[in-house]
Amino acid sequence: MIEARNINKFFGNKQVLKDVSVRFYQGKTNLVIGQSGSGKTVLIKCLVGLHEIDSGQILYNDRDFSKLSFRQKKSIRQEIGMLFQGGALFDYMNVQENVGFPLKMFSDLSPQKQIERVNFCLHRVNLKGANNLMPSELSGGMVKRVAIARAIALNPKYLFCDEPNSGLDPQTANLIDNLISEITDEFNITTVINTHDMNSVVEIGEKIVFINQGKVWWEGDNKEILTSENEELNKFVFASKLTRKLKS
């Protein structure tokens, strides 16, 4: 579990996060939603340590991340997998090298064991045999699946996904959603997803946090969100044709 307790974040005189408290649960797909500028991306960056908070606590299974030294934080970061918005593959590395990069950097596995782990992860994302392909040879969906394989290479306890469906067609986006959900459940990971995609919210939102004006405005799941009476949430959710249709 990841827990934020009363965290505040300023950039100069501007307060972006205002006394945010929220829990993200193990084995669940936890989604963070909100308008651009709401503070949701800053929240995610604070959780992984890319931004230092000004006050409050961030806990990883009761370990106070916000009070750890740089070296102590590094040990927790090695338990974190990251799926970046564009996939962020290294163009000059093939698929095997991309997936194996965190293993080479942060594990003590032998070269042979690293290859075995890479093959396992590629098989898990349905890319068996794609080892020698270059990123330029991959479709958008394949890029995201390679990125997921890389994100789980170190067998993380925590997985952060930034707009995983960005730039994908609806069918491929649905496949990526299902894959992230399956991996979360299979490996009992605490998965936190930053998304604008209401289809993802409806399909895999086991825990949803709506951030508005730097505050936690609403929490619930994918069933409760469609019947909520929260006015600001409804303005955000039902701006989508999909969710307007579901509500009707």
Side-chain angles (χ1 to χ4, degrees):
M1 183 178 72
I2 304 170
E3 182 177 4
R5 293 182 182 172
N6 307 109
I7 65 173
N8 292 280
K9 177 62 183 174
F10 290 81
F11 291 100
N13 294 324
K14 183 179 180 181
Q15 186 172 7
V16 179
L17 296 179
K18 305 171 183 177
D19 204 33
V20 171
S21 294
V22 64
R23 291 179 177 179
F24 299 111
Y25 294 102
Q26 186 173 350
K28 302 291 184 183
T29 47
N30 303 273
L31 275 62
V32 181
I33 63 173
Q35 296 178 349
S36 297
S38 62
K40 67 182 188 301
T41 301
V42 173
L43 172 60
I44 299 298
K45 289 183 176 180
C46 287
L47 292 176
V48 299
L50 293 176
H51 291 322
E52 293 289 338
I53 60 175
D54 292 296
S55 62
Q57 292 177 289
I58 295 170
L59 298 102
Y60 282 78
N61 289 356
D62 297 322
R63 294 172 293 174
D64 193 340
F65 185 72
S66 46
K67 292 184 178 179
L68 297 180
S69 67
F70 178 81
R71 180 168 295 187
Q72 290 169 325
K73 284 182 178 180
K74 185 177 179 181
S75 67
I76 292 181
R77 289 192 179 106
Q78 289 178 356
E79 299 174 357
I80 295 173
M82 291 290 299
L83 176 59
F84 299 97
Q85 183 171 339
L89 301 184
F90 296 109
D91 292 338
Y92 58 89
M93 293 183 181
N94 64 24
V95 166
Q96 179 173 300
E97 291 166 335
N98 266 286
V99 177
F101 181 77
L103 296 170
K104 185 177 181 179
M105 293 294 293
F106 302 114
S107 81
D108 297 324
L109 295 177
S110 67
Q112 182 58 40
K113 290 293 184 181
Q114 289 181 31
I115 292 174
E116 290 176 10
R117 179 64 184 171
V118 167
N119 287 335
F120 171 83
C121 293
L122 287 175
H123 183 266
R124 185 60 193 82
V125 300
N126 301 314
L127 286 175
K128 183 179 180 181
N131 302 55
N132 294 320
L133 294 177
M134 299 300 292
S136 60
E137 301 177 271
L138 306 177
S139 67
M142 291 174 73
V143 166
K144 292 295 177 74
R145 282 188 282 157
V146 172
I148 292 171
R150 183 176 62 186
I152 65 171
L154 288 171
N155 196 23
K157 295 180 180 179
Y158 316 98
L159 178 63
F160 288 87
C161 305
D162 183 23
E163 296 287 354
N165 292 335
S166 176
L168 300 179
D169 65 83
Q171 185 176 9
T172 304
N174 190 52
L175 290 173
I176 296 300
D177 279 343
N178 290 334
L179 181 57
I180 292 173
S181 180
E182 290 168 6
I183 286 172
T184 298
D185 181 64
E186 182 177 338
F187 301 113
N188 201 28
I189 301 171
T190 303
T191 296
V192 182
I193 303 170
N194 177 17
T195 186
H196 284 100
D197 189 340
M198 291 310 303
N199 187 64
S200 300
V201 172
V202 172
E203 292 296 327
I204 65 169
E206 296 176 285
K207 166 71 180 286
I208 303 164
V209 179
F210 175 55
I211 303 294
N212 186 46
Q213 299 176 19
K215 300 178 181 180
V216 175
W217 217 257
W218 181 90
E219 295 181 64
D221 62 27
N222 55 0
K223 298 178 180 63
E224 296 167 329
I225 198 169
L226 296 177
T227 57
S228 169
E229 296 181 359
N230 186 296
E231 184 177 352
E232 291 301 321
L233 176 68
N234 286 337
K235 286 179 183 177
F236 176 78
V237 170
F238 297 109
S240 161
K241 292 182 180 179
L242 167 68
T243 44
R244 287 202 300 270
K245 182 177 180 181
L246 286 170
K247 189 172 185 180
S248 63

